[in-house]
Amino acid sequence: MTQSEQQAHLDERIISVYTRIATAARRAGRDSADITLVAVSKTHSVETIASAIAAGLGHFGENRVQEAQSKISTLADDRPRLTWHLIGHLQRNKAKVAISLFDMVHSLDSLRLAETLNRHLHDRAADGQVSALPVLLQVNVSGEASKEGFDLPGGPDNPACLEDFAGEVAQILALPYLCVQGLMTIAPWSHDPEQARPVFRNLRRLRDKLARRFPTADWSQLSMGMTDDFEVAIEEGATLVRVGRAIFGTRASR
Ligand SMILES: *Cc1c(COP(=O)(O)O)cnc(C)c1O
């Protein structure tokens, strides 16, 4: 394919994703302006991301700090117009670099990581940069064993689980350099998107419980839904959908 054919192909895929978002929003009686498409560009080249920017996308999701660092620096001219989302597990030894790169962290998955981020943000604030970092608490509400996310195996209806989690949430909310804005989850993979619905519904119900319990915090964002299940996620209240393959095609394994 020539470069202009490639661009046209990508433009078409993006239009199709936006159409699917709008259709799902309409079905749910929601305004599609309340749903942000985060294009998951992990494994894809800077040239591909540049084409997506040319097609009008502004939100990009990456799951590895090093890979994101090289892309973000290559695309430095576009930086002011872009929002970079960290969607993968963050190792604490990369927290300092991560705060210099990303506008939002979806994958805040432990109190220790929150404290580490807060400490680096505090140090940065001492240098005169004072904005708090928007973060989402990644939660595992599916009951499936997973190494990532705060674990709520019993979901939002298990009072003991909820108590433990709320205790950690209270400590995170007290960290001055983090700005909690909501929750994020990854549904277990399934060929049937309907399997993800109860998981997404649980995340929203958990959010509603936290909002009642911590009413002064911002719980507006729900990051849920990927290529195979973003329409169901929108029906269940997603405000950020993280879509890779539907935009960029299948990823080469790395
Ligand atoms: C890779 C990834 C996505 C995008 O997945 P697709 O199935 O390609 O849409 C979304 N969220 C997270 C956390 C990911 O790691």
Side-chain angles (χ1 to χ4, degrees):
M1 275 197 282
T2 68
Q3 213 199 322
S4 69
E5 281 168 345
Q6 267 170 22
Q7 182 75 50
H9 185 61
L10 186 63
D11 291 355
E12 241 168 67
R13 281 173 165 270
I14 292 168
I15 289 167
S16 146
V17 169
Y18 272 123
T19 305
R20 289 168 60 187
I21 289 173
T23 306
R26 201 172 315 119
R27 223 167 23 236
R30 300 184 56 202
D31 184 347
S32 58
D34 296 336
I35 298 149
T36 298
L37 172 61
V38 178
V40 176
S41 49
K42 65 187 184 194
T43 77
H44 295 289
S45 68
V46 171
E47 290 74 23
T48 299
I49 300 173
S51 299
I53 296 168
L57 293 185
H59 290 260
F60 292 92
E62 289 282 338
N63 67 341
R64 294 188 180 183
V65 171
Q66 244 167 334
E67 180 180 340
Q69 189 169 28
S70 93
K71 290 175 178 175
I72 293 170
S73 70
T74 308
L75 294 164
D77 289 349
D78 294 297
R79 186 70 188 86
R81 297 188 284 126
L82 302 181
T83 306
W84 289 95
H85 300 254
L86 177 62
I87 61 169
H89 174 66
L90 177 60
Q91 291 170 329
R92 277 179 294 124
N93 62 6
K94 298 198 176 127
K96 187 177 177 192
V97 182
I99 63 165
S100 70
L101 295 172
F102 292 99
D103 300 293
M104 181 183 238
V105 173
H106 293 224
S107 44
L108 184 64
D109 57 7
S110 74
L111 176 58
R112 285 185 78 191
L113 175 61
E115 289 168 341
T116 303
L117 286 166
N118 186 67
R119 182 160 42 77
H120 288 301
L121 288 156
H122 167 272
D123 295 347
R124 191 178 69 165
D127 297 331
Q129 293 169 270
V130 279
S131 53
L133 178 69
V135 296
L136 305 178
L137 308 180
Q138 182 177 350
V139 190
N140 176 15
V141 282
S142 71
E144 190 175 81
S146 156
K147 45 192 192 322
E148 282 169 27
F150 290 93
D151 242 323
L152 264 86
D157 297 317
N158 181 324
C161 283
L162 190 62
E163 269 328 291
D164 288 350
F165 181 51
E168 294 191 297
V169 170
Q171 292 180 71
I172 294 170
L173 291 176
L175 299 171
Y177 296 99
L178 296 184
C179 177
V180 173
Q181 298 190 338
L183 304 178
M184 179 273 221
T185 201
I186 303 173
W189 187 85
S190 163
H191 59 278
D192 175 12
E194 283 302 323
Q195 298 290 317
R197 190 182 296 278
V199 177
F200 297 148
R201 190 165 293 175
N202 271 348
L203 192 75
R204 187 185 59 194
R205 291 178 52 241
L206 175 62
R207 186 274 305 273
D208 294 345
K209 283 184 189 236
L210 292 169
R212 279 196 291 277
R213 188 159 179 150
F214 303 103
T216 57
D218 175 6
W219 297 102
S220 57
Q221 303 295 330
L222 287 174
S223 169
M224 53 191 197
M226 316 184 359
T227 289
D228 294 318
D229 53 24
F230 71 85
E231 287 142 305
V232 170
I234 288 168
E235 289 170 11
E236 297 300 329
T239 61
L240 292 152
V241 290
R242 311 177 308 267
V243 179
R245 286 168 298 135
I247 297 171
F248 299 114
T250 51
R251 285 178 290 275
S253 57
R254 54 181 169 189

